[in-house]
Each structure stands twice: as C-alpha cells, then as structure tokens.
C-alpha cells in the first residue's frame, strides 16, 4: 500500500461532496494496483449511480482488482479494464483499452504514485489529456515529491505543454485531523503512513489538480 494511495483515499473521503456531486459521472483510476482509491471512490459514489473504472497494465493486478471489487461489494459501481499509459499516444477522442478499443472520455481521473521515472511523467500527462473531458473534468493525482519519485518534477510542465492547467498543492499544507488521522503520536500527522510500503522519513507529497483548458 503506497503512502500516496492512502493520502488520496483520505482526501477523497474528506471532499466527497465536491468530488462526487449528486449527478452520475464516470471516474477512472489510473495505475490502480490493489485498488484502494478506486474502491473508496466506488463506495462514495454508490448513491449517485456513477461508474468507477479501475485500471492497470499488469494482467495479474487486473485479476486481483476484480477479486477486491467482489470482496468489497462494489460490483454495482466498479469495473476493471486494462490501460497502459504508454499506449495512449495521439488523442483519438478517448482512451485505448487493452483490447485496442477506444473508450469514452471520463469526468474524473484519480491516481496515486504513478510516476517513477522521466518517461512516466510524459506518458501520464498524455493519458490524462486523452481521457479527461474538456468541460468540468478534473484529475486528482497524488505523488511523493521528486526527492523520492524521479520524474515528478517534470509533471506540471508536461501537462502544461499539452494545454492543461495544473494546480499543485503540498499535502502538508492541508494536513488536519480530519484528513490525516493521528494514530501513533499526538505531534505527528502521519496517521499510520509510516507503515505503508515505500514510506521514508521526511517524505513529502503533492496533490495535483488538473483541468483541460
């Protein structure tokens, strides 16, 4: 469980009324892994008849995601599809799934810790550009900062070059008891993040909010 996935899940829960309005929409999780944030989104969106699509490029991960959807009783709102960042090249009016089909653009994109090298940043930016609707579409991406995830430092520029607007928010700036539940220390806002995979002391994270201009 990556620390950014825990953080993004908590942020979604704290902002559910803003992120999941009462009308139905489609949410795409990129690089789902075990599916924590996508499953949280599915639970939050259950009353809005929204659809959550959890994606990854690894077949074993996709199989595990299907099982996690069943285990968490999210079959009515969540589904799984294969999506490879590096297959999303030219904008074809949607995103390309693992079978080569062009799928419709989505209203909301979520992702956590999906940039690990320089090329990931560009591929992620292109994928968001291809997948996100132009009107009232938002992408919410949480990543550890460049000291711990190489390539993150290029992400804002890569998105901007594709005509998107990015607002970067340091996670520490909105650290609160509501968002980061204190568990191990009254002076810490880690809230158990130190127990997640890949967390190191002093790790900082950024929430990127992206729209198409």
């Amino acid at each position: 469980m990556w620390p950014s996935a825990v953080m993004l899940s908590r942020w979604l829960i704290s902002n559910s009324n803003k992120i999941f309005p009462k009308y139905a929409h489609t949410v795409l999780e990129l690089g789902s892994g075990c599916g924590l944030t996508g499953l949280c989104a599915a639970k939050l969106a259950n009353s809005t008849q929204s659809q959550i699509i959890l994606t990854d490029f690894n077949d074993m991960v996709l199989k595990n995601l299907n099982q996690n959807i069943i285990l968490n009783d999210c079959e009515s709102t969540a589904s799984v599809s294969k999506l490879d960042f590096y297959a999303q090249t030219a904008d074809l009016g949607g995103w390309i799934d693992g079978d080569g089909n062009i799928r419709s653009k989505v209203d909301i994109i979520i992702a956590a810790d999906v940039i690990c090298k320089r090329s990931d940043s560009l591929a992620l930016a292109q994928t968001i550009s291809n997948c996100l609707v132009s009107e009232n579409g938002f992408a919410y991406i949480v990543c550890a900062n460049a000291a711990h995830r190489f390539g993150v430092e290029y992400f804002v520029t890569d998105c901007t070059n594709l005509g998107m607007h990015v607002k970067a928010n340091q996670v520490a700036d909105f650290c609160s008891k509501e968002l980061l539940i204190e568990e191990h220390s009254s002076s810490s806002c880690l809230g158990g993040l130190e127990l997640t995979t890949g967390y190191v002391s002093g790790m900082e994270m950024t929430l990127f909010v992206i729209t198409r201009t």
Side-chain angles (χ1 to χ4, degrees), residues 54-162:
L54 286 70
T55 69
D56 210 289
F57 74 94
N58 184 287
D59 290 333
M60 185 61 69
V61 170
L62 296 174
K63 182 178 180 180
N64 188 56
L65 282 170
N66 275 311
Q67 289 299 313
N68 285 342
I69 287 173
I70 294 170
L71 288 171
N72 288 275
D73 297 321
C74 292
E75 298 99 315
S76 63
T77 53
S79 61
V80 172
S81 182
K82 189 170 187 174
L83 187 156
D84 184 352
F85 294 167
Y86 288 88
Q88 314 303 315
T89 51
D91 190 345
L92 301 175
W95 54 280
I96 303 171
D97 67 16
D99 295 321
N101 300 312
I102 300 176
R103 306 278 292 271
S104 299
K105 292 178 182 286
V106 302
D107 305 296
I108 296 173
I109 295 173
I110 55 175
D113 259 340
V114 289
I115 300 175
C116 296
K117 57 182 184 290
R118 172 66 184 98
S119 56
D120 287 345
S121 172
L122 186 57
L124 177 61
Q126 183 66 65
T127 298
I128 294 171
S129 179
N130 288 8
C131 295
L132 193 63
V133 297
S134 297
E135 186 175 353
N136 297 321
F138 291 89
Y140 303 99
I141 314 296
V142 174
C143 291
N145 287 358
H148 305 285
R149 299 289 187 272
F150 182 71
V152 174
E153 66 269 33
Y154 302 102
F155 185 55
V156 171
T157 299
D158 289 338
C159 288
T160 302
N161 287 343
L162 290 170

